[in-house]
Amino acid sequence: MDTTQLLKGVLDAAVLAVVAQEDGYGYDVVRRLRAAGLEEVGEASVYGTLRRLYSSGALTTYVVPSDEGPHRKYYGLNPQGRAALDAQRKSWHEFSTALTTLLETEGAAR
Amino acid sequence: MTATAVLDHVHAYALAVRAHLGDLPPDQVEDLTDGLEADLAEALQDAPRGGTDEPSGAVDLERRFGHPAAYATELRTAAGLAPRAQAGAVPRRRSPLRALRTRWDETVRAVEQSPAGPVLVGLTPSLRPLWWVLRGWVWFVVLGAVGGVLLGTYGGSLFVPDGGRWLGLLALVTVSFLLGARAPALRRGGRLVRGASVAAAVLALPLLMGLLGDLGRLAAPPEAADVWVPEDGVWVEGQQVENLYAYDAEGRALDGVQLFDERGRPVVATGQEGWLQQYVDGLDEEWLFAPTTGAGGRTLWNVYPLVGAPADDWEWGDDGPELRGQQPAAPPAPFARAAAVERPGTTSTQRSGSTDTRPGATGGRVDPPASAPGATPSDAGASQEAGDPAGAEPQPPAADPGVDPATPPPAGAVTP
Protein backbone atom coordinates (compact mmCIF):
# COMPACT_ATOMS: atom_id res chain seq x y z
CA MET A 1 0.00 0.00 0.00
CA ASP A 2 1.20 3.43 -0.77
CA THR A 3 1.38 4.90 2.70
CA THR A 4 1.85 8.37 1.28
CA GLN A 5 -1.60 8.32 -0.18
CA LEU A 6 -3.04 6.78 2.92
CA LEU A 7 -1.36 9.31 5.05
CA LYS A 8 -2.79 12.14 3.04
CA GLY A 9 -6.25 11.02 3.89
CA VAL A 10 -5.69 10.74 7.61
CA LEU A 11 -3.09 13.39 8.25
CA ASP A 12 -5.69 15.77 9.57
CA ALA A 13 -6.74 13.30 12.21
CA ALA A 14 -3.16 12.45 13.07
CA VAL A 15 -2.16 16.07 13.46
CA LEU A 16 -5.23 16.85 15.52
CA ALA A 17 -4.46 13.91 17.75
CA VAL A 18 -0.88 14.97 18.32
CA VAL A 19 -1.85 18.54 19.11
CA ALA A 20 -4.63 17.30 21.36
CA GLN A 21 -2.10 15.54 23.53
CA GLU A 22 0.01 18.66 23.83
CA ASP A 23 0.35 21.99 22.05
CA GLY A 24 3.22 22.03 19.63
CA TYR A 25 4.99 23.97 16.96
CA GLY A 26 5.67 22.83 13.41
CA TYR A 27 8.62 20.54 13.71
CA ASP A 28 7.59 19.40 17.16
CA VAL A 29 4.42 17.93 15.65
CA VAL A 30 6.45 16.28 12.90
CA ARG A 31 8.74 14.71 15.42
CA ARG A 32 5.90 13.33 17.46
CA LEU A 33 4.14 11.93 14.43
CA ARG A 34 7.29 10.13 13.40
CA ALA A 35 7.84 8.88 16.92
CA ALA A 36 4.35 7.48 16.87
CA GLY A 37 5.23 5.39 13.85
CA LEU A 38 4.35 7.57 10.88
CA GLU A 39 7.90 7.80 9.69
CA GLU A 40 7.14 8.73 6.15
CA VAL A 41 5.31 11.89 6.98
CA GLY A 42 6.78 14.93 5.24
CA GLU A 43 7.44 18.16 7.05
CA ALA A 44 5.84 20.24 4.37
CA SER A 45 2.67 18.20 4.57
CA VAL A 46 2.47 18.64 8.30
CA TYR A 47 3.10 22.36 8.13
CA GLY A 48 0.52 22.78 5.42
CA THR A 49 -1.97 20.72 7.37
CA LEU A 50 -1.41 22.75 10.50
CA ARG A 51 -2.01 25.86 8.46
CA ARG A 52 -5.18 24.53 6.94
CA LEU A 53 -6.55 23.31 10.24
CA TYR A 54 -5.87 26.71 11.71
CA SER A 55 -7.58 28.47 8.82
CA SER A 56 -10.60 26.25 9.18
CA GLY A 57 -10.83 27.17 12.82
CA ALA A 58 -9.84 23.93 14.46
CA LEU A 59 -6.61 25.22 15.97
CA THR A 60 -5.53 28.22 17.92
CA THR A 61 -2.09 29.63 17.63
CA TYR A 62 0.15 31.63 19.88
CA VAL A 63 3.73 32.70 19.83
CA VAL A 64 6.16 31.68 22.48
CA PRO A 65 9.24 33.84 22.72
CA SER A 66 12.45 31.98 23.12
CA ASP A 67 15.77 33.04 24.53
CA GLU A 68 17.92 30.86 22.32
CA GLY A 69 16.27 31.39 19.04
CA PRO A 70 13.42 32.97 17.20
CA HIS A 71 9.97 32.84 18.64
CA ARG A 72 8.01 29.71 17.79
CA LYS A 73 4.41 29.60 16.78
CA TYR A 74 2.57 27.01 18.80
CA TYR A 75 -0.67 25.35 17.81
CA GLY A 76 -3.31 24.22 20.20
CA LEU A 77 -6.68 22.59 19.97
CA ASN A 78 -9.82 24.57 20.51
CA PRO A 79 -13.30 23.17 21.12
CA GLN A 80 -14.05 23.11 17.42
CA GLY A 81 -10.87 21.16 16.85
CA ARG A 82 -11.74 18.80 19.61
CA ALA A 83 -15.08 18.14 18.04
CA ALA A 84 -13.41 17.58 14.69
CA LEU A 85 -11.00 15.12 16.27
CA ASP A 86 -13.83 13.19 17.84
CA ALA A 87 -15.61 13.04 14.53
CA GLN A 88 -12.48 11.84 12.78
CA ARG A 89 -11.86 9.28 15.46
CA LYS A 90 -15.27 7.90 14.94
CA SER A 91 -15.12 7.83 11.19
CA TRP A 92 -11.65 6.27 11.28
CA HIS A 93 -12.88 3.62 13.60
CA GLU A 94 -15.74 2.81 11.32
CA PHE A 95 -13.56 2.88 8.23
CA SER A 96 -10.74 0.85 9.65
CA THR A 97 -13.10 -1.68 11.16
CA ALA A 98 -14.79 -2.13 7.83
CA LEU A 99 -11.52 -2.44 5.96
CA THR A 100 -9.99 -4.74 8.55
CA THR A 101 -13.02 -6.97 8.43
CA LEU A 102 -12.88 -6.96 4.65
CA LEU A 103 -9.20 -7.85 4.55
CA GLU A 104 -9.40 -10.43 7.33
CA THR A 105 -12.45 -12.03 5.90
CA GLU A 106 -10.87 -12.38 2.54
CA GLY A 107 -7.72 -13.82 4.06
CA ALA A 108 -9.63 -16.05 6.44
CA ALA A 109 -11.79 -17.28 3.70
CA ARG A 110 -8.78 -18.64 1.83
CA MET B 1 29.91 22.52 9.16
CA THR B 2 29.47 25.44 11.47
CA ALA B 3 26.12 26.38 12.86
CA THR B 4 26.04 29.66 10.99
CA ALA B 5 26.86 27.94 7.74
CA VAL B 6 24.02 25.54 8.32
CA LEU B 7 21.75 28.45 9.02
CA ASP B 8 22.87 30.10 5.83
CA HIS B 9 21.96 27.07 3.83
CA VAL B 10 18.69 26.74 5.65
CA HIS B 11 17.97 30.34 4.93
CA ALA B 12 18.76 29.89 1.27
CA TYR B 13 16.52 26.87 1.10
CA ALA B 14 13.70 28.71 2.75
CA LEU B 15 14.15 31.58 0.34
CA ALA B 16 13.84 29.18 -2.53
CA VAL B 17 10.67 27.70 -1.08
CA ARG B 18 9.19 31.12 -0.67
CA ALA B 19 10.14 32.01 -4.18
CA HIS B 20 8.15 29.05 -5.40
CA LEU B 21 5.22 30.35 -3.46
CA GLY B 22 5.63 33.74 -5.05
CA ASP B 23 2.31 33.67 -6.83
CA LEU B 24 0.50 33.69 -3.53
CA PRO B 25 -0.35 36.81 -1.54
CA PRO B 26 2.51 37.70 0.77
CA ASP B 27 0.55 37.21 3.93
CA GLN B 28 -0.36 33.73 2.83
CA VAL B 29 3.23 32.94 2.06
CA GLU B 30 4.00 34.26 5.50
CA ASP B 31 1.43 32.02 7.11
CA LEU B 32 2.83 29.01 5.36
CA THR B 33 6.49 29.67 5.97
CA ASP B 34 6.65 31.47 9.27
CA GLY B 35 9.08 29.49 11.34
CA LEU B 36 10.27 27.50 8.33
CA GLU B 37 13.92 28.16 8.95
CA ALA B 38 13.61 27.17 12.56
CA ASP B 39 11.82 23.97 11.67
CA LEU B 40 14.34 23.10 8.99
CA ALA B 41 17.23 23.75 11.32
CA GLU B 42 15.69 21.66 14.03
CA ALA B 43 15.00 18.85 11.61
CA LEU B 44 18.64 18.90 10.62
CA GLN B 45 19.71 18.55 14.21
CA ASP B 46 17.85 15.29 14.46
CA ALA B 47 19.36 12.21 12.93
CA PRO B 48 19.45 12.89 9.21
CA ARG B 49 17.41 10.65 7.08
CA GLY B 50 18.51 9.26 3.79
CA GLY B 51 21.70 7.69 5.04
CA THR B 52 24.13 10.58 4.69
CA ASP B 53 26.41 11.37 7.56
CA GLU B 54 27.25 15.01 7.43
CA PRO B 55 25.28 17.44 5.39
CA SER B 56 27.78 19.69 3.76
CA GLY B 57 25.88 22.00 1.51
CA ALA B 58 22.62 23.14 0.15
CA VAL B 59 22.46 20.05 -1.98
CA ASP B 60 22.13 17.98 1.11
CA LEU B 61 19.24 20.03 2.21
CA GLU B 62 17.61 19.06 -1.02
CA ARG B 63 18.38 15.48 -0.35
CA ARG B 64 16.90 15.81 3.07
CA PHE B 65 13.85 17.84 2.31
CA GLY B 66 13.48 17.52 -1.39
CA HIS B 67 13.75 20.17 -3.98
CA PRO B 68 12.44 23.49 -2.78
CA ALA B 69 9.86 23.51 -5.52
CA ALA B 70 8.59 20.13 -4.45
CA TYR B 71 8.60 21.23 -0.85
CA ALA B 72 6.61 24.29 -1.77
CA THR B 73 4.12 22.23 -3.72
CA GLU B 74 3.66 19.78 -0.89
CA LEU B 75 3.24 22.65 1.50
CA ARG B 76 0.59 24.42 -0.46
CA THR B 77 -1.26 21.25 -1.33
CA ALA B 78 -1.46 20.20 2.28
CA ALA B 79 -2.65 23.65 3.10
CA GLY B 80 -5.46 23.29 0.64
CA LEU B 81 -4.19 25.82 -1.86
CA ALA B 82 -4.18 25.44 -5.59
CA PRO B 83 -0.91 24.43 -7.20
CA ARG B 84 1.21 27.11 -8.68
CA ALA B 85 -0.14 28.93 -11.69
CA GLN B 86 1.62 28.12 -14.91
CA ALA B 87 4.47 30.29 -16.04
CA GLY B 88 3.13 32.69 -18.60
CA ALA B 89 0.04 33.42 -16.63
CA VAL B 90 -0.90 37.06 -16.56
CA PRO B 91 1.34 38.69 -14.01
CA ARG B 92 -0.65 40.21 -11.26
CA ARG B 93 -0.74 43.94 -11.21
CA ARG B 94 0.66 44.19 -7.77
CA SER B 95 3.77 42.17 -8.42
CA PRO B 96 6.20 45.02 -7.86
CA LEU B 97 4.62 45.61 -4.49
CA ARG B 98 4.80 41.94 -3.72
CA ALA B 99 8.41 41.81 -4.74
CA LEU B 100 9.03 44.66 -2.35
CA ARG B 101 7.13 42.88 0.37
CA THR B 102 8.99 39.68 -0.22
CA ARG B 103 12.26 41.51 0.00
CA TRP B 104 11.12 43.18 3.19
CA ASP B 105 10.13 39.86 4.68
CA GLU B 106 13.44 38.37 3.68
CA THR B 107 15.31 41.24 5.23
CA VAL B 108 13.35 40.91 8.42
CA ARG B 109 14.02 37.21 8.51
CA ALA B 110 17.67 37.73 7.79
CA VAL B 111 17.86 40.05 10.76
CA GLU B 112 16.08 37.52 12.89
CA GLN B 113 18.45 34.77 11.87
CA SER B 114 21.50 36.85 12.39
CA PRO B 115 23.41 36.67 15.65
CA ALA B 116 21.76 39.86 16.81
CA GLY B 117 18.40 38.44 15.91
CA PRO B 118 17.37 36.90 19.22
CA VAL B 119 18.34 40.06 21.04
CA LEU B 120 16.36 42.25 18.71
CA VAL B 121 13.41 39.93 18.61
CA GLY B 122 13.40 39.75 22.37
CA LEU B 123 13.49 43.50 22.48
CA THR B 124 10.63 44.04 20.08
CA PRO B 125 7.87 42.72 22.35
CA SER B 126 8.69 45.34 24.92
CA LEU B 127 9.04 48.03 22.26
CA ARG B 128 5.86 46.99 20.59
CA PRO B 129 3.46 48.93 22.81
CA LEU B 130 5.59 52.00 22.20
CA TRP B 131 5.27 51.38 18.51
CA TRP B 132 1.51 51.08 18.79
CA VAL B 133 1.31 54.48 20.47
CA LEU B 134 3.58 56.00 17.86
CA ARG B 135 1.59 54.40 15.08
CA GLY B 136 -1.66 55.81 16.45
CA TRP B 137 -0.10 59.26 16.62
CA VAL B 138 1.16 59.05 13.04
CA TRP B 139 -2.31 58.04 11.87
CA PHE B 140 -3.70 60.97 13.80
CA VAL B 141 -1.34 63.40 12.10
CA VAL B 142 -2.00 61.97 8.66
CA LEU B 143 -5.76 62.02 9.13
CA GLY B 144 -5.49 65.54 10.47
CA ALA B 145 -3.57 66.62 7.40
CA VAL B 146 -6.02 64.90 5.07
CA GLY B 147 -8.96 66.33 6.96
CA GLY B 148 -7.42 69.76 6.85
CA VAL B 149 -7.05 69.54 3.10
CA LEU B 150 -10.52 68.13 2.52
CA LEU B 151 -12.43 70.25 4.98
CA GLY B 152 -10.27 73.30 4.66
CA THR B 153 -9.77 73.54 8.39
CA TYR B 154 -6.39 74.62 9.48
CA GLY B 155 -5.10 76.26 12.53
CA GLY B 156 -3.39 74.85 15.51
CA SER B 157 -0.55 72.47 15.29
CA LEU B 158 -0.79 69.42 13.09
CA PHE B 159 1.40 67.46 15.43
CA VAL B 160 0.23 68.54 18.82
CA PRO B 161 -3.51 68.19 19.26
CA ASP B 162 -5.55 70.84 20.92
CA GLY B 163 -8.99 70.73 22.38
CA GLY B 164 -11.29 68.16 20.87
CA ARG B 165 -8.56 66.72 18.73
CA TRP B 166 -7.11 65.08 21.81
CA LEU B 167 -10.07 62.73 21.63
CA GLY B 168 -9.21 61.85 18.06
CA LEU B 169 -5.64 61.11 19.01
CA LEU B 170 -6.74 59.01 21.93
CA ALA B 171 -9.15 57.07 19.74
CA LEU B 172 -6.52 56.32 17.13
CA VAL B 173 -3.95 55.30 19.70
CA THR B 174 -6.52 52.99 21.27
CA VAL B 175 -7.30 51.47 17.89
CA SER B 176 -3.63 51.00 17.22
CA PHE B 177 -3.18 49.41 20.60
CA LEU B 178 -6.09 47.04 20.14
CA LEU B 179 -4.84 46.01 16.74
CA GLY B 180 -1.41 45.45 18.11
CA ALA B 181 -2.47 43.63 21.24
CA ARG B 182 -4.86 41.31 19.43
CA ALA B 183 -2.28 40.22 16.93
CA PRO B 184 0.57 38.42 18.63
CA ALA B 185 2.87 38.08 15.67
CA LEU B 186 4.42 41.17 14.19
CA ARG B 187 3.02 40.64 10.74
CA ARG B 188 -0.54 39.91 11.61
CA GLY B 189 -3.53 41.87 10.58
CA GLY B 190 -5.45 42.48 7.41
CA ARG B 191 -3.92 44.12 4.43
CA LEU B 192 -5.32 47.53 5.29
CA VAL B 193 -3.87 47.44 8.76
CA ARG B 194 -0.58 46.17 7.45
CA GLY B 195 -0.40 48.91 4.83
CA ALA B 196 -1.36 51.57 7.35
CA SER B 197 1.27 50.29 9.73
CA VAL B 198 3.96 50.31 7.10
CA ALA B 199 2.94 53.82 6.09
CA ALA B 200 3.06 54.84 9.71
CA ALA B 201 6.53 53.38 10.07
CA VAL B 202 7.76 55.25 7.03
CA LEU B 203 6.21 58.54 8.06
CA ALA B 204 7.04 58.30 11.72
CA LEU B 205 10.48 59.83 11.55
CA PRO B 206 9.62 62.86 9.37
CA LEU B 207 6.51 63.57 11.39
CA LEU B 208 8.45 63.32 14.61
CA MET B 209 10.79 65.96 13.27
CA GLY B 210 7.77 68.12 12.58
CA LEU B 211 6.56 67.54 16.11
CA LEU B 212 9.88 68.60 17.55
CA GLY B 213 9.77 71.71 15.45
CA ASP B 214 6.31 72.56 16.66
CA LEU B 215 7.16 71.91 20.28
CA GLY B 216 10.22 74.06 19.99
CA ARG B 217 8.21 76.88 18.59
CA LEU B 218 5.51 76.58 21.21
CA ALA B 219 7.92 76.43 24.11
CA ALA B 220 10.29 79.13 23.02
CA PRO B 221 9.72 82.53 24.51
CA PRO B 222 8.54 85.05 21.98
CA GLU B 223 11.34 86.80 20.28
CA ALA B 224 11.74 90.47 20.61
CA ALA B 225 10.49 90.94 17.09
CA ASP B 226 7.30 89.06 17.86
CA VAL B 227 6.40 91.03 20.88
CA TRP B 228 4.25 94.00 20.16
CA VAL B 229 6.24 97.04 20.92
CA PRO B 230 4.06 99.90 21.92
CA GLU B 231 4.52 103.03 20.03
CA ASP B 232 5.64 106.18 21.56
CA GLY B 233 2.93 107.59 23.70
CA VAL B 234 1.41 107.93 27.09
CA TRP B 235 -1.05 105.40 28.38
CA VAL B 236 -3.38 105.86 31.23
CA GLU B 237 -5.62 103.00 32.32
CA GLY B 238 -4.94 101.21 29.10
CA GLN B 239 -5.89 104.08 26.89
CA GLN B 240 -3.58 106.27 25.00
CA VAL B 241 -3.94 109.89 26.01
CA GLU B 242 -3.92 112.78 23.64
CA ASN B 243 -3.09 115.68 25.85
CA LEU B 244 -1.68 116.33 29.27
CA TYR B 245 -2.75 118.97 31.68
CA ALA B 246 -0.46 120.07 34.49
CA TYR B 247 -1.36 121.86 37.67
CA ASP B 248 0.93 123.08 40.37
CA ALA B 249 0.78 122.16 44.01
CA GLU B 250 -1.71 124.87 44.66
CA GLY B 251 -3.89 123.51 41.94
CA ARG B 252 -3.35 126.26 39.41
CA ALA B 253 -3.31 125.25 35.78
CA LEU B 254 0.07 125.40 34.17
CA ASP B 255 0.73 126.19 30.60
CA GLY B 256 3.69 125.39 28.46
CA VAL B 257 4.92 122.55 30.63
CA GLN B 258 7.82 120.72 29.03
CA LEU B 259 7.82 117.09 30.05
CA PHE B 260 10.80 114.76 29.95
CA ASP B 261 11.44 111.33 31.35
CA GLU B 262 14.29 110.45 33.71
CA ARG B 263 16.63 110.14 30.76
CA GLY B 264 15.78 113.46 29.31
CA ARG B 265 13.67 112.11 26.52
CA PRO B 266 10.61 114.15 25.65
CA VAL B 267 7.36 112.64 26.76
CA VAL B 268 5.18 112.69 23.71
CA ALA B 269 1.54 111.81 24.12
CA THR B 270 0.53 111.97 20.53
CA GLY B 271 2.08 113.73 17.70
CA GLN B 272 4.36 113.24 14.87
CA GLU B 273 6.67 115.18 12.70
CA GLY B 274 4.05 117.40 11.27
CA TRP B 275 0.79 118.71 12.46
CA LEU B 276 -1.52 116.66 14.47
CA GLN B 277 -5.16 116.38 13.68
CA GLN B 278 -7.39 114.41 15.89
CA TYR B 279 -10.69 114.31 17.55
CA VAL B 280 -10.88 115.78 20.95
CA ASP B 281 -12.85 113.97 23.53
CA GLY B 282 -15.98 115.82 24.46
CA LEU B 283 -16.01 118.03 21.38
CA ASP B 284 -17.74 117.31 18.20
CA GLU B 285 -15.13 118.50 15.84
CA GLU B 286 -11.67 117.65 14.85
CA TRP B 287 -8.90 119.81 16.08
CA LEU B 288 -5.66 120.56 14.49
CA PHE B 289 -2.87 120.78 16.99
CA ALA B 290 0.21 122.80 16.51
CA PRO B 291 3.56 121.70 17.80
CA THR B 292 5.73 123.93 19.85
CA THR B 293 8.79 125.21 18.11
CA GLY B 294 11.98 124.69 19.99
CA ALA B 295 15.54 125.76 19.57
CA GLY B 296 16.70 125.47 16.01
CA GLY B 297 13.16 125.27 14.71
CA ARG B 298 12.55 121.77 15.93
CA THR B 299 8.98 120.80 16.49
CA LEU B 300 8.30 119.75 20.01
CA TRP B 301 5.38 117.72 21.06
CA ASN B 302 6.19 117.47 24.70
CA VAL B 303 4.96 120.88 25.75
CA TYR B 304 1.62 120.63 27.43
CA PRO B 305 -1.11 121.12 27.14
CA LEU B 306 -1.03 120.79 23.39
CA VAL B 307 -2.64 123.78 21.75
CA GLY B 308 -4.53 124.07 18.55
CA ALA B 309 -7.87 125.03 17.14
CA PRO B 310 -10.78 123.35 15.42
CA ALA B 311 -9.66 121.99 12.12
CA ASP B 312 -12.05 124.17 10.17
CA ASP B 313 -10.49 127.31 11.53
CA TRP B 314 -7.21 126.66 9.90
CA GLU B 315 -6.32 127.80 6.47
CA TRP B 316 -3.75 126.16 4.42
CA GLY B 317 -1.07 128.55 3.49
CA ASP B 318 2.21 128.13 1.74
CA ASP B 319 4.09 127.09 4.83
CA GLY B 320 1.42 124.91 6.23
CA PRO B 321 -1.70 125.52 8.19
CA GLU B 322 -2.21 129.00 9.43
CA LEU B 323 -4.58 130.29 11.94
CA ARG B 324 -6.18 133.55 11.14
CA GLY B 325 -7.83 135.67 13.64
CA GLN B 326 -7.16 133.64 16.74
CA GLN B 327 -4.42 132.17 18.80
CA PRO B 328 -4.14 128.44 19.17
CA ALA B 329 -5.41 127.41 22.53
CA ALA B 330 -5.59 124.27 24.50
CA PRO B 331 -8.82 122.32 24.36
CA PRO B 332 -10.89 122.70 27.49
CA ALA B 333 -9.03 121.32 30.45
CA PRO B 334 -10.65 118.61 32.52
CA PHE B 335 -10.91 121.09 35.38
CA ALA B 336 -9.99 124.70 35.74
CA ARG B 337 -8.23 124.16 39.00
CA ALA B 338 -6.96 121.08 40.69
CA ALA B 339 -6.95 120.35 44.37
CA ALA B 340 -4.12 121.73 46.38
CA VAL B 341 -1.69 119.01 47.40
CA GLU B 342 1.17 118.73 49.79
CA ARG B 343 4.37 117.30 48.48
CA PRO B 344 6.42 115.17 50.79
CA GLY B 345 8.98 117.07 52.80
CA THR B 346 7.35 120.48 52.64
CA THR B 347 5.83 122.15 55.64
CA SER B 348 2.67 124.13 55.28
CA THR B 349 4.20 127.40 56.42
CA GLN B 350 7.07 127.23 54.01
CA ARG B 351 4.94 126.17 51.13
CA SER B 352 2.21 128.73 51.39
CA GLY B 353 4.40 131.64 50.64
CA SER B 354 6.48 130.20 47.87
CA THR B 355 5.82 130.10 44.22
CA ASP B 356 8.49 127.57 43.70
CA THR B 357 6.89 124.22 43.44
CA ARG B 358 9.96 122.10 43.51
CA PRO B 359 10.17 119.89 46.53
CA GLY B 360 12.86 120.61 49.01
CA ALA B 361 13.66 123.92 47.41
CA THR B 362 12.60 125.66 50.59
CA GLY B 363 15.47 124.21 52.48
CA GLY B 364 14.53 120.87 53.81
CA ARG B 365 16.76 118.14 52.59
CA VAL B 366 14.71 115.09 52.11
CA ASP B 367 15.10 111.69 50.69
CA PRO B 368 11.78 110.66 49.28
CA PRO B 369 11.18 106.94 49.54
CA ALA B 370 11.20 106.28 45.84
CA SER B 371 14.28 108.01 44.63
CA ALA B 372 15.84 107.49 41.25
CA PRO B 373 18.93 105.35 41.48
CA GLY B 374 21.36 107.82 40.10
CA ALA B 375 21.80 111.25 38.81
CA THR B 376 20.26 111.78 35.45
CA PRO B 377 21.22 114.32 32.86
CA SER B 378 18.27 116.51 33.61
CA ASP B 379 19.12 116.48 37.25
CA ALA B 380 22.81 117.00 36.86
CA GLY B 381 22.38 120.66 37.18
CA ALA B 382 19.61 120.43 39.66
CA SER B 383 21.76 118.68 42.17
CA GLN B 384 23.84 121.78 42.47
CA GLU B 385 21.01 123.66 43.90
CA ALA B 386 20.56 124.05 47.52
CA GLY B 387 18.11 121.75 49.04
CA ASP B 388 17.37 119.73 46.01
CA PRO B 389 18.28 116.10 46.60
CA ALA B 390 20.05 114.57 43.67
CA GLY B 391 17.82 112.40 41.67
CA ALA B 392 14.88 112.93 43.89
CA GLU B 393 12.83 114.95 41.55
CA PRO B 394 12.55 113.52 38.10
CA GLN B 395 10.27 116.21 36.90
CA PRO B 396 11.96 119.36 35.80
CA PRO B 397 10.53 122.52 37.19
CA ALA B 398 7.89 124.47 35.51
CA ALA B 399 9.22 126.91 33.05
CA ASP B 400 9.27 129.82 35.39
CA PRO B 401 11.77 132.17 33.89
CA GLY B 402 14.53 132.97 36.26
CA VAL B 403 13.68 130.55 38.99
CA ASP B 404 15.84 127.70 37.95
CA PRO B 405 18.82 128.39 35.79
CA ALA B 406 19.62 124.71 35.42
CA THR B 407 16.91 123.68 33.06
CA PRO B 408 17.19 120.62 30.93
CA PRO B 409 19.05 121.29 27.68
CA PRO B 410 16.27 121.14 25.08
CA ALA B 411 14.01 123.52 26.89
CA GLY B 412 14.40 127.04 25.83
CA ALA B 413 12.07 129.79 25.04
CA VAL B 414 9.05 128.21 23.62
CA THR B 415 6.65 129.63 21.17
CA PRO B 416 3.31 128.08 20.64
Side-chain angles (χ1 to χ4, degrees), chain B residues 266-323:
Chain B
V267 174
V268 175
T270 53
Q272 50 222 9
E273 279 308 303
W275 296 77
L276 174 67
Q277 186 159 347
Q278 65 189 30
Y279 273 102
V280 175
D281 227 17
L283 301 176
D284 289 331
E285 50 197 349
E286 260 193 352
W287 272 50
L288 192 62
F289 286 94
T292 307
T293 307
R298 284 172 31 202
T299 55
L300 304 173
W301 285 104
N302 66 328
V303 185
Y304 296 100
L306 300 178
V307 294
D312 295 337
D313 296 353
W314 295 81
E315 289 168 13
W316 294 90
D318 294 327
D319 296 321
E322 289 172 1
L323 206 57

Side-chain angles (χ1 to χ4, degrees), chain A residues 25-27 31 34 39 42-45 47-49 51-52 67-68 71-73, chain B residues 31-32 34 38-39 42-43 46 49 64-65 71 74-75 78-80 112 121 188:
Chain A
Y25 58 89
Y27 187 70
R31 203 187 352 233
R34 292 199 182 133
E39 285 161 14
E43 285 102 348
S45 301
Y47 303 150
T49 304
R51 202 68 236 157
R52 184 164 39 81
D67 290 331
E68 300 104 22
H71 53 272
R72 304 308 300 261
K73 191 188 297 182
Chain B
D31 291 347
L32 289 173
D34 183 29
D39 287 331
E42 201 169 333
D46 288 0
R49 306 186 303 161
R64 174 75 174 76
F65 299 113
Y71 193 100
E74 191 181 338
L75 187 55
E112 280 180 352
V121 172
R188 275 268 157 256

Side-chain angles (χ1 to χ4, degrees), chain B:
Chain B
M1 196 172 175
T2 63
T4 40
V6 168
L7 282 179
D8 284 343
H9 288 292
V10 162
H11 183 56
Y13 188 90
L15 273 179
V17 169
R18 288 202 184 85
H20 281 102
L21 297 171
D23 60 315
L24 294 172
D27 35 333
Q28 207 153 37
V29 175
E30 194 47 49
D31 291 347
L32 289 173
T33 58
D34 183 29
L36 179 60
E37 280 93 340
D39 287 331
L40 292 171
E42 201 169 333
L44 285 175
Q45 282 168 9
D46 288 0
R49 306 186 303 161
T52 49
D53 292 321
E54 290 284 323
S56 56
V59 173
D60 296 285
L61 276 176
E62 274 194 35
R63 202 178 322 187
R64 174 75 174 76
F65 299 113
H67 191 272
Y71 193 100
T73 309
E74 191 181 338
L75 187 55
R76 69 197 295 158
T77 312
L81 301 166
R84 190 195 175 104
Q86 295 302 317
V90 177
R92 299 165 69 126
R93 257 168 312 170
R94 295 219 246 142
S95 48
L97 185 63
R98 182 168 307 112
L100 208 65
R101 276 223 49 123
T102 316
R103 238 192 303 277
W104 167 256
D105 287 341
E106 287 163 15
T107 318
V108 171
R109 220 164 273 103
V111 170
E112 280 180 352
Q113 303 294 336
S114 69
V119 174
L120 289 174
V121 172
L123 204 57
T124 34
S126 46
L127 289 181
R128 222 164 272 163
L130 212 70
W131 158 243
W132 296 335
V133 173
L134 180 63
R135 180 174 62 175
W137 175 79
V138 171
W139 287 343
F140 165 79
V141 174
V142 169
L143 285 179
V146 170
V149 169
L150 291 179
L151 303 174
T153 54
Y154 294 98
S157 161
L158 197 58
F159 305 102
V160 177
D162 48 348
R165 295 170 65 213
W166 270 110
L167 283 178
L169 174 63
L170 212 60
L172 282 170
V173 168
T174 310
V175 166
S176 170
F177 230 90
L178 286 175
L179 286 171
R182 285 259 178 86
L186 251 176
R187 293 171 280 278
R188 275 268 157 256
R191 184 161 286 143
L192 172 65
V193 174
R194 196 98 44 90
S197 299
V198 169
V202 168
L203 294 170
L205 194 60
L207 293 184
L208 276 175
M209 303 298 290
L211 171 69
L212 285 176
D214 260 12
L215 286 178
R217 224 175 329 114
L218 288 172
E223 298 172 355
D226 290 336
V227 172
W228 173 73
V229 177
E231 337 156 349
D232 220 4
V234 177
W235 270 264
V236 175
E237 290 179 0
Q239 284 184 317
Q240 193 171 9
V241 301
E242 296 160 349
N243 215 337
L244 292 173
Y245 295 86
Y247 301 82
D248 64 11
E250 265 84 33
R252 291 181 297 228
L254 299 172
D255 189 39
V257 177
Q258 307 178 57
L259 290 181
F260 301 85
D261 67 1
E262 72 276 10
R263 294 198 209 165
R265 298 179 296 195
V267 174
V268 175
T270 53
Q272 50 222 9
E273 279 308 303
W275 296 77
L276 174 67
Q277 186 159 347
Q278 65 189 30
Y279 273 102
V280 175
D281 227 17
L283 301 176
D284 289 331
E285 50 197 349
E286 260 193 352
W287 272 50
L288 192 62
F289 286 94
T292 307
T293 307
R298 284 172 31 202
T299 55
L300 304 173
W301 285 104
N302 66 328
V303 185
Y304 296 100
L306 300 178
V307 294
D312 295 337
D313 296 353
W314 295 81
E315 289 168 13
W316 294 90
D318 294 327
D319 296 321
E322 289 172 1
L323 206 57
R324 298 278 169 83
Q326 55 175 300
Q327 286 293 319
F335 21 83
R337 203 182 165 94
V341 297
E342 189 168 323
R343 296 280 298 169
T346 59
T347 61
S348 50
T349 51
Q350 286 170 325
R351 188 175 49 78
S352 58
S354 163
T355 59
D356 195 324
T357 59
R358 283 177 302 119
T362 49
R365 184 165 274 277
V366 228
D367 267 283
S371 52
T376 57
S378 61
D379 290 322
S383 62
Q384 301 296 323
E385 293 176 283
D388 201 70
E393 172 55 86
Q395 251 199 8
D400 282 4
V403 170
D404 185 7
T407 50
V414 294
T415 19

Side-chain angles (χ1 to χ4, degrees), chain A residues 61-76:
Chain A
T61 176
Y62 54 93
V63 175
V64 174
S66 152
D67 290 331
E68 300 104 22
H71 53 272
R72 304 308 300 261
K73 191 188 297 182
Y74 276 71
Y75 292 91

